[in-house]
Amino acid sequence: MKTSDASIALNTSRNSTLFVPDNVDFDTNPMCEAVSIEREQECHEIPTEPSPRTIYSCWNQKQFIDWFTMHNRYVSDAKLFDSEKRNYERPVLMLIGDSITESFLGTSYGVETERTKSSYGEEAFRYFQTLLGNKYETIVNAISGDQVQHVLWRLQNGELPQSASSNNQAIFVILIGTNNLGNGHLPNPTAQGILELTKELLIQTKGKIVLLQVLPRGDGSKILPKLCPPRCTEDEKPFQSFFPAVRKVNDKLQNAMSTGDETIKMAYISKRLALIDCGEAFLVSGDSGMPDVNATLMPDLLHPYELGLKIMADCIAKEVEAQRLAGG
């Protein structure tokens, strides 16, 4: 990215300076673009390759700056967590993800918004902690809008506490991938990115991994027309639903547990890695008989709100406790 006279300097976690031009129109830079008449697409960020947020994954300059501010905060939090030498008679529990996971903090990009306020995320998080009997040192590591490649980059750039990664009683919960689909990535590279992140955590940590399947989303009629081209049907029309793409991603994740990368397979067989589905509870039968998102639980058809977050808490807590009781 070229710098200009009109730019803002940000300090990153590596003590380098990132220049953010203030004359860039972020909204005109799609993540993926058609590169041939056959509608082959080329994406500026790849789910399997670690990347910070760029002009292709932020809506505006403020969001770009807010993301790096959140990243630097999480780096500081990780250092503080290590320096405080927590009581490790309690296992470390780290929740990793995007806006759905950040909802448990009651924030989006670290700030309370109308959506997060009406989601009652902090209340759901207290409920989650109560379900677990406050037995865990819990870390929420999530930034709204994040895609797989952004989480990979964040964890490789100072956000993973050393004391958590070296703790064989730690449990890491991952929910990520919906924003890749929502920004134009196809199901296969999205699934490959999720698996790459899972493998990275398996290698970099000694604890257990709980990987959540991508949740259903019902905002396809609003988002998918913006992604065509290149993501269109054979007759050049936008897809109408995210359901097929989400299903393909989740099928690929499930298949990888037995036929994928050796690190993934062995972790799954040894029960160090669990793959769980928390999305079924968010589905209802639509008018056509096809599944639809329960708007009571997901009013914006993407984010679980109050009761939906408690359902998420129930689902995650059940598996976390199962992992704890199973031991290492």
Side-chain angles (χ1 to χ4, degrees):
M1 184 183 296
K2 296 180 180 180
T3 63
S4 68
D5 292 336
S7 62
I8 298 174
L10 294 177
N11 292 321
T12 72
S13 59
R14 296 297 186 188
N15 295 320
S16 59
T17 302
L18 176 71
F19 289 92
V20 190
D22 63 4
N23 58 353
V24 171
D25 187 356
F26 284 75
D27 199 33
T28 62
N29 293 280
M31 174 66 75
C32 302
E33 300 178 84
V35 294
S36 71
I37 59 174
E38 291 82 13
R39 299 193 311 277
E40 292 180 336
Q41 69 176 44
E42 180 177 277
C43 299
H44 297 281
E45 297 174 21
I46 310 301
T48 56
E49 299 177 7
S51 170
R53 296 280 277 274
T54 69
I55 60 172
Y56 303 105
S57 48
C58 289
W59 292 112
N60 51 52
Q61 186 187 74
K62 180 180 184 304
Q63 191 178 88
F64 187 92
I65 295 171
D66 288 346
W67 187 86
F68 275 95
T69 300
M70 285 288 288
H71 164 61
N72 287 332
R73 192 185 90 183
Y74 282 143
V75 171
S76 297
D77 288 347
K79 292 177 180 177
L80 180 63
F81 190 90
D82 286 337
S83 67
E84 286 184 343
K85 297 180 179 179
R86 302 289 181 107
N87 177 7
Y88 291 115
E89 291 181 0
R90 296 202 302 174
V92 176
L93 174 62
M94 190 167 181
L95 308 179
I96 300 167
D98 51 32
S99 57
I100 296 173
T101 301
E102 192 188 345
S103 293
F104 281 121
L105 297 176
T107 63
S108 176
Y109 292 95
V111 177
E112 184 181 70
T113 65
E114 284 302 313
R115 176 186 66 78
T116 60
K117 185 177 180 180
S118 59
S119 297
Y120 296 96
E122 290 178 291
E123 179 182 322
F125 187 61
R126 287 193 292 271
Y127 171 75
F128 177 63
Q129 294 283 63
T130 301
L131 286 174
L132 296 174
N134 294 305
K135 291 189 288 283
Y136 296 86
E137 289 282 354
T138 305
I139 304 170
V140 177
N141 181 285
I143 303 180
S144 294
D146 260 8
Q147 300 171 40
V148 181
Q149 65 273 17
H150 308 137
V151 179
L152 263 171
W153 188 90
R154 291 196 289 109
L155 294 181
Q156 290 180 357
N157 284 271
E159 294 189 27
L160 183 62
Q162 179 60 37
S163 51
S165 61
S166 61
N167 185 341
N168 61 11
Q169 298 300 311
I171 299 176
F172 301 87
V173 178
I174 307 169
L175 175 59
I176 196 69
T178 193
N179 290 318
N180 289 86
L181 297 177
N183 281 271
H185 287 121
L186 296 173
N188 186 58
T190 297
Q192 290 302 315
I194 295 170
L195 293 168
E196 183 66 26
L197 171 60
T198 304
K199 182 179 177 180
E200 175 77 9
L201 277 172
L202 286 168
I203 293 171
Q204 296 298 329
T205 70
K206 295 182 179 180
K208 294 188 175 184
I209 313 294
V210 176
L211 175 62
L212 275 64
Q213 293 185 356
V214 177
L215 295 181
R217 56 185 297 175
D219 59 344
S221 61
K222 174 184 176 183
I223 302 298
L224 288 168
K226 302 175 183 178
L227 303 179
C228 175
R231 190 168 166 181
C232 312
T233 63
E234 291 185 358
D235 56 357
E236 306 288 342
K237 294 181 180 179
F239 289 98
Q240 293 299 306
S241 172
F242 277 110
F243 277 93
V246 170
R247 183 172 61 249
K248 287 178 182 178
V249 171
N250 290 336
D251 286 348
K252 288 178 182 297
L253 295 181
Q254 187 62 67
N255 291 338
M257 298 300 113
S258 57
T259 62
D261 177 89
E262 195 67 20
T263 301
I264 298 288
K265 288 192 299 182
M266 294 307 297
Y268 187 73
I269 291 170
S270 67
K271 300 189 183 303
R272 187 183 166 207
L273 168 64
L275 175 67
I276 65 172
D277 177 14
C278 294
E280 190 68 27
F282 294 94
L283 296 176
V284 294
S285 294
D287 294 336
S288 63
M290 299 296 290
D292 204 351
V293 166
N294 186 336
T296 301
L297 302 178
M298 285 183 171
D300 66 355
L301 307 181
L302 175 61
H303 299 92
Y305 279 50
E306 183 179 9
L307 181 56
L309 283 174
K310 288 185 176 180
I311 289 173
M312 288 290 297
D314 282 325
C315 182
I316 296 170
K318 180 180 179 180
E319 183 60 35
V320 166
E321 276 295 89
Q323 293 293 328
R324 184 184 68 84
L325 294 172

